[in-house]
Amino acid sequence: MWMDTSVARNWNSVSTRSYEAGTAIVRDGWLARLRRARRTLDRLDWWRLDEWKDSDLWAFDDGEAALLIAPPDLDETAPLDMTRAGVAWLRWCAVADGVSLTARLAAAFYAAESRLASHGVREVWCVIRPFEWIKPYLRDLGFRVADWLLIFEVQPECVSAKPSARIGLQVRPACGADLAALCALDAQAFDEPWRYPPALMRRALAQSFAFAVAVHEGAPVGYACAVLHEARGHIVRLAVRPDLRRRGIASELLRGVVAQLAQAGAHVVSLNTQTGNRPAQHLYRRLGFVPVDEKLTVMRRPLMHRTDQGRT
């Protein structure tokens, strides 16, 4: 599964005083140390850090800071020049203990920014929990709040009773053969920053605890997937074809996935939605989900071409 590291790559380090580009041993040593740092952010979601260690999407600053910013259409084996996405997501970062966080993080980010912009990426997005260490530093780098994500929770036994099944609607487990249809459906249901291209959808299919697809007249018209950690379930994605919304498809999918999670021992099931998505919020409340006090901050930053270590 790992990429061949015998060929030197541009690892986008701002300074290479102790680093020869493409030296896997040096890079692995840096990541091994940085993953133990106190100031670490992990938004890898469907992946483990080790799976990305050979990716050419890393930006380093002398091994004191590391950033992984990945367009959503790339997986851990794809080079940046394969992307066709206009956005990228901050997936992982860390700054070593005892060094200047502001300077190191900025140096790594500006190195990544220049390379991402040169490949057509226009914006970097990230999701931050309240009071996470990186939030003020992202503001210093020019990130601004784009939205907030509301968190809803429900105890499975509190989900409202299931109505009569929708005529002609089949809900079944998703499979690999559904990949293309699910990606097409997802592109209809979500705007660009939130879409799941094949690289992400393939991973969701493989890693989800539950992945249900709603089929009507032989075609997928909706899907939902969820993960389970100990006694907590989380519904990661819920999508319905726009022209078939408000016909009970989302309710069918949610009830089915929550039931699967409950059967596996989940005591609480959560999900997120944007503050402006009123129809989704109404659906969740109707089914028994209630909002919690915590909100997640969605931040974004337009990219600019930069040279000379961050100076325009």
Side-chain angles (χ1 to χ4, degrees):
M1 185 173 189
W2 305 116
M3 292 180 67
D4 179 10
T5 57
S6 61
V7 179
R9 301 192 186 103
N10 174 16
W11 287 101
N12 207 20
S13 178
V14 175
S15 172
T16 58
R17 285 192 297 270
S18 59
Y19 179 62
E20 180 181 350
T23 304
I25 294 175
V26 174
R27 183 184 63 253
D28 292 351
W30 286 354
L31 289 176
R33 181 169 68 99
L34 287 169
R35 74 192 306 169
R36 296 191 297 269
R38 290 180 292 107
R39 296 169 295 193
T40 303
L41 179 77
D42 189 334
R43 293 293 182 272
L44 289 172
D45 298 334
W46 300 108
W47 283 272
R48 303 185 311 275
L49 178 60
D50 287 344
E51 295 176 284
W52 285 90
K53 70 182 184 69
D54 292 332
S55 171
D56 76 348
L57 300 178
W58 287 101
F60 294 101
D61 180 39
D62 267 352
E64 302 292 350
L67 284 171
L68 178 67
I69 302 177
D73 60 343
L74 300 186
D75 61 19
E76 73 277 15
T77 65
L80 181 56
D81 58 13
M82 290 183 62
T83 188
R84 297 296 179 268
V87 301
W89 287 87
L90 176 58
R91 293 295 184 187
W92 197 90
C93 77
V95 179
D97 298 337
V99 303
S100 170
L101 192 152
T102 300
R104 294 295 188 176
L105 189 63
F109 180 81
Y110 291 142
E113 175 183 54
S114 178
R115 188 164 178 238
L116 288 163
S118 70
H119 284 79
V121 176
R122 304 184 307 273
E123 299 176 334
V124 174
W125 291 64
C126 58
V127 176
I128 304 297
R129 298 185 182 94
F131 311 115
E132 282 196 293
W133 65 270
I134 198 173
K135 194 171 183 178
Y137 299 96
L138 291 179
R139 289 198 185 101
D140 290 344
L141 288 171
F143 281 80
R144 295 295 179 262
V145 174
D147 205 342
W148 289 270
L149 298 180
L150 305 177
I151 303 172
F152 286 77
E153 291 184 350
V154 70
Q155 296 177 334
E157 63 272 18
C158 296
V159 173
S160 63
K162 183 177 179 179
S164 301
R166 174 182 165 83
I167 296 175
L169 184 72
Q170 175 194 9
V171 178
R172 60 166 174 79
C175 63
D178 295 318
L179 178 65
L182 289 172
C183 290
L185 170 62
D186 193 87
Q188 293 178 347
F190 294 100
D191 294 331
E192 183 184 39
W194 305 103
R195 289 174 184 160
Y196 265 33
L200 269 173
M201 191 67 74
R202 188 180 298 109
R203 199 71 182 189
L205 279 166
Q207 298 291 328
S208 294
F209 169 80
F211 201 126
V213 58
V215 179
H216 180 62
E217 297 181 351
V221 295
Y223 78 88
C225 64
V227 294
L228 177 64
H229 179 65
E230 296 179 349
R232 295 188 64 89
H234 182 71
I235 297 172
V236 182
R237 301 286 282 182
L238 174 67
V240 174
R241 207 172 78 189
D243 61 322
L244 293 177
R245 289 173 180 167
R246 301 186 181 183
R247 301 190 186 186
I249 298 173
S251 300
E252 289 275 315
L253 288 165
L254 282 175
R255 289 190 178 96
V257 169
V258 169
Q260 285 183 262
L261 292 167
Q263 191 173 23
H267 297 161
V268 176
V269 177
S270 61
L271 51 75
N272 306 328
T273 190
Q274 292 164 275
T275 54
N277 194 344
R278 303 294 183 185
Q281 295 170 39
H282 176 73
L283 168 66
Y284 303 148
R285 293 175 188 273
R286 181 166 55 82
L287 291 179
F289 286 82
V290 295
V292 302
D293 291 336
E294 181 182 3
K295 289 192 298 186
L296 306 177
T297 305
V298 182
M299 304 185 77
R300 61 175 285 272
R301 185 193 192 284
L303 294 187
M304 298 179 291
H305 288 278
R306 286 179 176 265
T307 58
D308 192 18
Q309 298 189 14
R311 292 188 292 272
T312 54

